[in-house]
Amino acid sequence: MAGSEPPYRRIAAEIRRRIALGELRPGDPVPSARRITREHGVAIATATKVLALLRDEGLVLTRPGAGTVVAPPRPAAPRARRGPADPEPELSRERLVRTAIGLADAGGLAAVSMRQIAAELGIATMALYRHVRGRDDLILAMADTALADAPLPAAPPAGWRARLELLARAQWTVYQRHRWLPHVISMSRPQPLPNGMAHTEWALRATAGLGLDTQQRWQAAVTLMAYVRGIATNLEAQAHAVQDTGLTDEQWVDNHEAMFQRMMSGGRYPTLATLDEAIDLDLDSVFEFGLRRLLDGYATLIEGSGTAR
């Protein structure tokens, strides 16, 4: 019978055993979804089901800033259940969305489930549906609320370049704060996000009166935001890598330096070998370099329009 047990239940049983034996104590991090996929050779969806099952059993919880950790022991005397006539604890859409954002910030979108949110809030799961239609509706609300954390000033700076640069940096900052967000935002299928639309409005207004046609203005706006989002999609993977290995990017490169040296010494990568020196390729420096070059290109386009002042 053990051979027919689904892989996610088998893996969950192993983690459950380690918790029961005290190998994993309350507050200790449990293996992340990526670590489970690597160590057990399963798909990320299976690994996510492992953590979801342990969450549902109350053995683990998602803690902002720490990821998924072993939950504290349950109190000996459980709280009295509410009767049918007792009201639910006060709940608002904003509180629901902020709770979901906290879960996503700590454990990614896979950590966001209606059941987990209800457990965090101490209410019945069905009570959430008074405020959102479902998980998809909730995630859109999370994205719009997160974008509100990157407010744009009422009085924009002078000049198209300063305005577009301000927008790009605001988005980069909010993506760093909410690493799951770039995986929600779509460039090809516009979403009804009021705060996202405000960003598009800002970008389009920045290029008004510069001699660009409507198509060029739209492409400039979308290209800028797609650039920031594209770099930001690496933030979550970077954070997972640090969590899984316990190494910073610099430490990881140092640990693998000898291997890369052997690979480049064979003559297969002559250009890489000649450029073998310490360089700064963290995501922030890549973002800065690309942003400057992108805006330089916009400047050439605008100057070529013949009407830019």
Side-chain angles (χ1 to χ4, degrees):
M1 291 299 291
S4 63
E5 188 177 35
Y8 80 94
R9 289 190 174 276
R10 174 174 49 80
I11 299 169
E14 170 61 20
I15 297 175
R16 193 184 299 115
R17 182 189 67 82
R18 294 179 63 192
I19 294 174
L21 292 176
E23 294 178 12
L24 292 173
R25 299 181 178 182
D28 286 349
V30 299
S32 66
R34 288 180 180 273
R35 182 176 171 184
I36 291 172
T37 62
R38 187 175 65 249
E39 293 183 352
H40 295 273
V42 295
I44 190 69
T46 300
T48 301
K49 289 177 69 175
V50 171
L51 298 178
L53 176 60
L54 295 172
R55 246 185 243 111
D56 290 345
E57 294 174 351
L59 293 176
V60 303
L61 55 84
T62 303
R63 182 170 291 167
T68 303
V69 301
V70 178
R74 296 177 179 177
R79 293 180 300 176
R81 290 188 176 183
R82 290 188 299 271
D86 294 333
E88 297 281 359
E90 184 178 354
L91 177 65
S92 65
R93 180 180 171 92
E94 180 181 2
R95 183 180 171 213
L96 189 165
V97 171
R98 286 293 180 184
T99 299
I101 288 176
L103 291 173
D105 287 347
L109 289 175
V112 179
S113 70
M114 304 302 272
R115 181 178 295 182
Q116 179 65 21
I117 295 168
E120 291 285 324
L121 293 171
I123 62 174
T125 302
M126 291 306 297
L128 303 179
Y129 292 94
R130 301 173 188 168
H131 302 275
V132 292
R133 292 189 296 273
R135 188 174 184 271
D136 291 344
D137 181 40
L138 172 61
I139 289 175
L140 284 181
M142 291 164 56
D144 196 54
T145 301
L147 286 171
D149 291 341
L152 301 172
W160 66 267
R161 182 163 185 145
R163 296 178 187 183
L164 292 182
E165 184 174 346
L166 187 151
L167 173 63
R169 293 189 186 284
Q171 292 190 343
W172 179 243
T173 298
V174 81
Y175 284 143
Q176 289 178 305
R177 188 177 301 136
H178 307 292
R179 295 185 294 264
W180 51 271
L181 182 57
H183 303 285
V184 176
I185 301 298
S186 173
M187 293 292 111
S188 59
R189 299 190 177 189
Q191 296 146 307
L193 305 176
N195 290 305
M197 293 172 68
H199 285 201
T200 305
E201 169 76 14
W202 177 281
L204 290 171
R205 188 176 297 175
T207 58
L210 299 177
L212 303 180
D213 61 34
T214 302
Q215 180 76 5
Q216 290 173 322
R217 290 175 64 195
W218 269 105
Q219 287 179 332
V222 173
T223 299
L224 177 71
M225 292 186 287
Y227 166 73
V228 181
R229 175 186 173 273
I231 298 294
T233 57
N234 297 283
L235 292 167
E236 189 169 49
Q238 180 189 50
H240 281 308
V242 172
Q243 179 183 3
D244 291 349
T245 65
L247 301 174
T248 65
D249 291 344
E250 292 79 8
Q251 291 170 332
W252 190 90
V253 171
D254 289 343
N255 284 2
H256 292 77
E257 183 177 2
M259 179 189 68
F260 284 118
Q261 291 289 350
R262 288 194 300 271
M263 293 176 64
M264 290 189 289
S265 64
R268 185 177 179 182
Y269 312 104
T271 304
L272 284 173
T274 59
L275 298 177
D276 181 24
E277 58 184 69
I279 54 175
D280 190 5
L281 284 182
D282 64 90
L283 290 179
D284 280 306
S285 67
V286 172
F287 167 76
E288 293 292 343
F289 176 85
L291 178 61
R292 288 194 297 269
R293 300 295 81 79
L294 182 61
L295 295 179
D296 287 346
Y298 284 11
T300 300
L301 175 67
I302 291 168
E303 290 166 3
S305 67
T307 60
R309 289 176 291 181

